[in-house]
Amino acid sequence: MEANMPKRKEPGKSLRIKVISMGNAEVGKSCIIKRYCEKRFVSKYLATIGIDYGVTKVHVRDREIKVNIFDMAGHPFFYEVRNEFYKDTQGVILVYDVGQKDSFDALDAWLAEMKQELGPHGNMENIIFVVCANKIDCTKHRCVDESEGRLWAESKGFLYFETSAQTGEGINEMFQTFYVSIVDVCENGGKRPTTNSSASFTKEQADAIRRIRNSKDSWDMLGVKPGASRDEVNKAYRKLAVLLHPDKCVAPGSEDAFKAVVNARIALLKNIK
Ligand code: GTP
Ligand code: MG
């Protein structure tokens, strides 16, 4: 009798997840996956046509995880092929090339494409996103620095890694952290554990750092009109100094932004009577 009983599966042992890659064409999505799964790098560019699909097994803590990877083509031409693969995804590898500012600026559009395809009832809150700042081996051409990428990622509650599919730097750490985070969500009933769902800095701080970074002169940096009075400059300075003081603000890039604000105030006060 006992022998004929169906064997009870050990609860929570094996898990099947779906992950997708997203990002502009040629940023290195396929190479990142190849580096991790096959431990090799191909320097010749072979554009993904539509979607590449693969299955791999990984271990996280005591669990075996079967990972279905859908590697998407980044070229706009393949939008019609990509769009049906967004649903039922637990993790997204979002890639840009640190030497191509366009590919970094395009990250918001990739999120928007996914959101649109998931429809009004699609919920992206419990999906784990990892941002890969890729091709860090190409140091000469780098134009998006670490703090800028990290600020974008962390202000959205995403993971951030600096990677090179060519040298392998950051790749294993990225996948390991990514899979652990996905398993944490699965083990938490499909919901993100509250502890790591929000950034450790405010939107106001992130916006101020971005504004300072993109400002065209010292007036713009302090957010005052050209020709503002000493009082106005000091008032604007104090507000930013409180917001971004390194003792209070842990947002990526805050130290540089703070220094820039200090210098902007000095420069402006020199010329105001
Ligand atoms: P699509 O499939 O068209 O969306 O592109 P993709 O994002 O999959 O890019 P792919 O992985 O095919 O890589 C594009 C090119 O960048 C290839 O020539 C790669 O050899 C090169 N590449 C990828 N990763 C790196 C890297 O980390 N460093 C350097 N130097 N080159 C890289
Ligand atoms: Mg590809």
Side-chain angles (χ1 to χ4, degrees):
M1 185 73 176
E2 189 77 5
N4 290 334
M5 293 270 285
K7 266 196 190 143
R8 246 184 66 183
K9 253 186 160 178
E10 264 190 82
K13 266 292 171 196
S14 102
L15 190 66
R16 189 187 282 256
I17 61 171
K18 173 182 170 184
V19 308
I20 61 173
S21 68
M22 266 165 42
N24 279 8
E26 233 176 304
V27 294
K29 300 178 293 296
S30 303
C31 285
I32 287 174
I33 294 166
K34 200 174 257 116
R35 164 61 74 187
Y36 181 71
C37 296
E38 300 171 24
K39 313 273 174 268
R40 66 193 182 98
F41 175 73
V42 182
S43 58
K44 187 167 183 278
Y45 174 41
L46 295 163
T48 303
I49 308 297
I51 299 272
D52 267 348
Y53 169 71
V55 186
T56 178
K57 273 184 192 160
V58 295
H59 286 89
V60 173
R61 298 194 279 267
D62 63 334
R63 296 186 83 159
E64 184 183 273
I65 319 291
K66 201 169 171 192
V67 187
N68 294 289
I69 304 184
F70 293 81
D71 177 24
M72 299 210 184
H75 199 281
F77 181 76
F78 295 111
Y79 167 69
E80 295 293 340
V81 186
R82 281 196 304 266
N83 61 9
E84 59 190 277
F85 288 91
Y86 284 116
K87 56 184 182 295
D88 304 323
T89 295
Q90 277 85 40
V92 177
I93 304 167
L94 195 50
V95 185
Y96 69 93
D97 173 348
V98 296
Q100 296 285 342
K101 182 80 164 61
D102 287 1
S103 71
F104 174 66
D105 293 338
L107 296 180
D108 283 308
W110 281 100
L111 291 181
E113 180 175 308
M114 180 168 190
K115 197 162 190 242
Q116 187 189 323
E117 291 315 315
L118 292 180
H121 303 297
N123 182 359
M124 287 169 54
E125 249 168 56
N126 297 311
I127 298 174
I128 298 295
F129 284 84
V130 63
V131 176
C132 295
N134 194 40
K135 305 198 188 183
I136 55 164
D137 55 284
C138 301
T139 45
K140 266 200 212 145
H141 305 288
R142 183 157 189 168
C143 59
V144 185
D145 70 18
E146 178 174 353
S147 63
E148 192 172 5
R150 196 177 274 285
L151 182 70
W152 186 88
E154 292 183 1
S155 58
K156 293 188 151 45
F158 297 172
L159 299 165
Y160 172 87
F161 281 86
E162 300 245 302
T163 59
S164 166
Q166 189 189 66
T167 66
E169 197 177 337
I171 302 287
N172 285 344
E173 297 86 329
M174 180 275 287
F175 274 103
Q176 194 57 28
T177 310
F178 181 51
Y179 290 141
V180 167
S181 303
I182 293 174
V183 171
D184 283 347
V185 169
C186 294
E187 289 179 349
N188 195 44
K191 283 211 154 55
R192 227 175 223 264
T194 41
T195 44
N196 54 18
S197 63
S198 59
S200 46
F201 47 87
T202 64
K203 183 173 181 306
E204 192 186 3
Q205 288 171 326
D207 289 346
I209 294 169
R210 264 191 285 265
R211 200 184 51 71
I212 290 163
R213 188 193 287 277
N214 295 327
S215 57
K216 55 183 191 302
D217 56 29
S218 299
W219 303 108
D220 195 23
M221 191 172 285
L222 289 181
V224 293
K225 285 198 190 104
S229 67
R230 285 185 90 82
D231 267 4
E232 285 167 329
V233 167
N234 280 328
K235 205 170 151 203
Y237 164 76
R238 271 196 300 275
K239 200 172 159 216
L240 285 170
V242 168
L243 189 68
L244 300 175
H245 195 282
D247 287 351
K248 300 242 175 58
C249 182
V250 295
S254 57
E255 228 170 284
D256 285 344
F258 181 75
K259 280 185 208 151
V261 165
V262 170
N263 290 332
R265 175 187 179 234
I266 293 170
L268 291 180
L269 290 186
K270 252 192 217 160
N271 297 314
I272 302 175
K273 292 208 184 93

